[in-house]
Amino acid sequence: MSALGVVFRKELVDSLRERRSLVSALVFGPLFGPILFTLITSYAVNLQIDEAEQPIEVPIINGEGAANLVSHLFRRQIDVDHERFTDVDALRDAVRRAEVDVGLMVDRDFGEALATGDAARVWIVADMANNSARPAFARLRAALNEYGLGIGVQRLALRGVDPSLARPLAVLTDDVSTPSARSVLLLGMMTYFLLFSALLGGTHVAIDTTAGERERGSLEPLLTLAASRAELVWGKIGVTFVFMAASLAICIVSFAVAVRFLPLAEIGMTATLTPLVCVGIYAVMLPFAALGAGLMTIVASFTKSFREAQTYTSIAMVAPPLPIILVVLNPVQPSLPLMLVPSLSQHLLVTELVKGEAFDPWHLAVSAAVTIAVGVGCGLATVRRYRGEAILV
């Protein structure tokens, strides 16, 4: 067996005996992301469904003269309360204090204005700085607009005018997206958790094989073995890569299981995380494990204790997934230049897989080559550091 193989086997056995490494790579890293994602997404979806289906209560002032309007709101699952407020200022104060989401004030001349064909006035009392009240405001406003449109159509028809003349432009929507493509709106952040899981899965191994050995005093005897510094470093990086790859695989499988519990069908979405898609996601993401192994090893090699290494690797762990957050805020389409950015290229390719769309093979090749090259560069930098005497200080 070569010296590289001996080092790899030694570090692998030591890491398997280390409880923190196993928990991080096989439990916490790959399971934390899917569980958190499922809980947050399930809550958001159920909240959206409840907001669309559950009736809301709206206090109303001067509603006695708008019986037809009240009936229309009731049919739209908006219950009006005539007795709670009789003073406008009291209603406005209650909305400002968030005691109620929205209120409705009807003009005293509402019925007369409708009878004479004038514009009947109503006021929605709302606090637009209160985000939690926005859904109720939107539902009430949409119901009022629908009521006003219906009255306008009836007035035109009574005067012998075709109501369609008042709407010369009919704007229709032809949605060509598939249910699986729409699921990306919710599953788009899955890649962030996959990247984080890969990094977290091997970070403890990278720390233990570098800073941990310096802290225990076992690094100097290790450097006296009949193995080159390069073989020592690549053996350590290889073990870190194995743990990151295992953590990534478990995380993907966890996501495939977790999305089955999300009520995506109720909002017109479908998650197509089939075994074949999961294999494709793993193939796309695996080069990032090589980058992560090299990055965490070089960062940890500059530290002298386990605690210090944890601090620096935690900071380094934030940087790789950062492009994904930027893309979520400013969406872009996959292109060859973007494949030159590690983590971003993986995110774009995984998104295409989740949508069920084919991507350019050159995109995958460039993404993998650049990502692995960055990981190799980090490894070469680590070898250079191990060849210096400063590693023992």
Side-chain angles (χ1 to χ4, degrees), residues 23-44:
V23 172
S24 176
L26 305 180
V27 180
F28 183 75
L31 297 182
F32 174 75
I35 292 175
L36 179 62
F37 175 83
T38 302
L39 292 176
I40 295 176
T41 305
S42 180
Y43 172 76

Side-chain angles (χ1 to χ4, degrees), residues 266-336:
E266 298 184 26
I267 55 175
M269 298 181 181
T270 302
T272 56
L273 292 182
T274 63
L276 184 60
V277 172
C278 290
V279 171
I281 293 175
Y282 187 71
V284 169
M285 297 293 301
L286 192 60
F288 186 82
L291 184 152
L295 177 63
M296 292 297 108
T297 302
I298 183 62
V299 171
S301 68
F302 282 93
T303 60
K304 299 179 180 180
S305 65
F306 202 97
R307 180 171 297 181
E308 182 185 4
Q310 284 181 315
T311 301
Y312 283 96
T313 54
S314 297
I315 297 174
M317 201 178 297
V318 176
L322 193 58
I324 297 178
I325 300 177
L326 299 178
V327 169
V328 171
L329 299 175
N330 184 25
V332 295
Q333 293 297 321
S335 63
L336 197 59

Side-chain angles (χ1 to χ4, degrees), residues 187-195 285 324 346-347 350-351:
L187 301 180
M189 287 300 294
M190 180 180 68
T191 315
Y192 176 85
F193 289 104
L194 294 178
L195 296 176
M285 297 293 301
I324 297 178
Q346 278 81 30
H347 169 72
V350 169
T351 300

